[in-house]
């Protein structure tokens, strides 16, 4: 399963306010916001202005 690394502009509540990166299992782009599929099965929406980048995580084998 493809995972993605989200980098926030500043530490974010989804990273316990102490980190700028979050690994998600998927995401959707809804224009002004992203909906992230969290590893625990939940989803959360975040405004695009808070996100610096989303990159595909390297597969580790």
């Amino acid at each position: 399963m493809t995972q993605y690394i989200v980098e926030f502009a500043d530490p974010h509540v989804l990273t316990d306010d102490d980190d700028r990166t979050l690994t998600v299992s998927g995401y959707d782009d809804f224009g002004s916001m992203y909906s992230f599929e969290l590893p625990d099965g939940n989803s959360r929406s975040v405004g695009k202005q808070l996100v610096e980048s989303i990159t595909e995580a390297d597969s580790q084998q």
Side-chain angles (χ1 to χ4, degrees):
M1 173 187 271
T2 302
Q3 291 191 316
Y4 300 90
I5 297 174
V6 178
E7 185 169 342
F8 293 101
D10 295 303
H12 191 273
V13 67
L14 290 177
T15 64
D16 295 326
D17 290 323
D18 63 357
D19 197 358
R20 293 179 49 223
T21 60
L22 175 69
T23 301
V24 298
S25 54
Y27 71 97
D28 290 308
D29 184 338
F30 291 111
S32 65
M33 58 190 338
Y34 292 112
S35 176
F36 296 124
E37 296 174 30
L38 305 178
D40 65 5
N42 291 316
S43 63
R44 291 284 301 267
S45 296
V46 175
K48 279 188 173 179
Q49 73 277 12
L50 302 176
V51 177
E52 280 194 359
S53 65
I54 301 173
T55 56
E56 191 171 318
D58 294 330
S59 59
Q60 299 192 13
Q61 297 179 1

